[in-house]
Amino acid sequence: MSLYWRIFLLNAGVLVLAVALLFGPVTVSTPVLFGEAVVLLAGLAAMLVLNAVLLKIGLAPFARLNRAMATADLLKPGTRPAVTGDGEIAALTRTFNAMLDRLEAERATSSGRVLTALEGERQRIARELHDEVGQTLTAVLLQLKYAADRAPEPLRTDLHQAQETTRSSLDEIRRIARRLRPGVLEELGLHSALRSLAAEFTTPRLSVTAHITPGPPHLDRSTELVLYRVAQEGLTNAARHSGATRVEVHLRPLPHGGTELLVSDDGRGLADAPEGAGIQGMRERALLIGAELAVGAGPHGGTQVRLDVPDPDKATP
């Protein structure tokens, strides 16, 4: 039972008892006149209604604070319940807001450390795949070629097939290494990296186009990495889960300053599916650079991922 109904029922019990006493030994006349009964019952009803209204108004800040607590999400910062008055409820609301500020700051710091460690681990795995596994498969290819050139005809066909399988595995290893460590981002910048990403996800069943508008402000390395990873995750979700046939990636400056990344597809959309680890990872990355991430239905159906990055020259210190 809520606090509102507990207080209301206690007050109602007291009022009912008072009226019962008036009908009993403490009364104006004996027996009770009809007019007096009507007045007493009407007064009781009026007092109950007034009591309910006053309690509803008085406890409304508690209800707002309860809704804010129930809907608080550290991955969607900025929403705070309003502080009204100077009483105990206002003090409790201010304490709750301060707690949210502290939790969001701690979450951003810990997420930054985790993502930094994750990027370092990605680079280590990519180097090992490229240097160790890649070189081993290359040596296997050379050995297969040497053996196929000297093998009799029936065996040569099988060796050539093994060569193609090994070559496909080597290409897949290199593709995975590129996704783990976007070397083109470090060497050629964000624009070329997004175009390369679009070409990588393009298949006979999925068309991916990148639209890069000239003029975005200069972005630091961490911001470019966040933009690249969000675009990569958006394309991965579109390719694996949406059933889309067309995906567009837009990178353009915002009218009020800053940069916008937009990944939209023509797939089946999110419907009522809960957010998975991929979307939560995008939200954590967005928090690191103070960006706003929105994932939902596109204007023409499908799914749209939008990341708005503030202008670094206008960002508050």
Side-chain angles (χ1 to χ4, degrees), residues 26 53 58 61 69 72 74 137 141 192 247 251 263 275 290 299 305-306:
V26 183
V53 172
M69 289 179 176
L74 297 182
L137 289 179
L141 272 177
S192 298
V247 185
L251 182 69
V263 181
E275 292 188 357
V305 178
R306 188 181 75 250

Side-chain angles (χ1 to χ4, degrees), residues 6-20:
R6 289 181 181 180
I7 298 176
F8 173 77
L9 291 178
L10 288 174
N11 291 339
V14 173
L15 294 174
V16 169
L17 179 61
V19 173

Side-chain angles (χ1 to χ4, degrees), residues 56 59-73 79-81 96:
K56 195 71 174 179
L59 297 179
F62 277 116
R64 290 196 298 268
L65 184 59
N66 182 56
R67 288 194 297 270
M69 289 179 176
T71 58
D73 189 351
T79 303
R80 298 288 186 273
F96 175 70

Side-chain angles (χ1 to χ4, degrees), residues 154-235:
L155 183 59
R156 185 177 304 173
T157 302
D158 294 337
L159 290 174
H160 283 312
Q161 186 176 359
Q163 274 185 282
E164 293 302 320
T165 302
T166 306
R167 186 176 290 109
S168 298
S169 300
L170 181 59
D171 292 339
E172 182 68 14
I173 289 294
R174 289 172 176 170
R175 183 185 63 82
I176 294 174
R178 285 196 302 270
R179 288 190 179 183
L180 290 173
R181 183 187 181 187
V184 65
L185 178 64
E186 301 176 359
E187 298 169 3
L188 301 179
L190 181 62
H191 294 187
S192 298
L194 291 179
R195 292 191 179 95
S196 175
L197 196 62
E200 181 180 343
F201 276 89
T202 298
T203 64
R205 293 183 297 177
L206 182 64
S207 171
V208 182
T209 55
H211 305 275
I212 310 296
T213 303
H218 175 72
L219 303 173
D220 56 33
R221 182 178 177 182
S222 60
T223 302
E224 288 189 346
L225 182 59
V226 169
L227 286 166
Y228 179 86
R229 291 301 187 194
V230 170
Q232 186 181 47
E233 184 62 33
L235 289 173

